[in-house]
């Protein structure tokens, strides 16, 4: 399995970014390439810029080990 890229995050309770606000986390993807995830992350980050307690990150899945 190839790596997949996800944009995850959302609205946090405050700017310590430790607890998500009610509504939970948001996840967008999977994206087959990092560049595709970066474009989505850029768009979401720019649209949420006025809200200091919103943060998104790009995460990658680890490839699964093959069965013997």
């Amino acid at each position: 399995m190839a790596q997949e890229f996800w944009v995850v995050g959302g609205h946090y309770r405050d700017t310590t970014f430790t607890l998500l606000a009610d509504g939970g986390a948001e996840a967008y993807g999977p994206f087959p390439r990092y560049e595709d995830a970066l474009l989505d992350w850029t768009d979401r980050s720019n649209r949420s810029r006025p809200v200091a307690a919103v943060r998104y990150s790009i995460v990658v899945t680890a490839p699964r080990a093959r069965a013997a």
Side-chain angles (χ1 to χ4, degrees), residues 55-66:
R55 176 182 280 182
Y56 295 99
S57 299
I58 298 174
V59 296
V60 60
T61 60
R64 293 184 186 175
R66 292 185 178 186

Side-chain angles (χ1 to χ4, degrees), residues 2-42:
Q3 291 180 327
E4 295 176 331
F5 300 89
W6 295 81
V7 175
V8 297
H11 194 148
Y12 288 81
R13 290 183 185 220
D14 57 38
T15 56
T16 64
F17 302 105
T18 54
L19 294 172
L20 286 160
D22 295 336
E26 302 169 24
Y28 304 96
F31 298 96
R33 300 178 323 134
Y34 177 82
E35 292 80 6
D36 299 329
L38 182 60
L39 286 173
D40 189 76
W41 173 86
T42 301

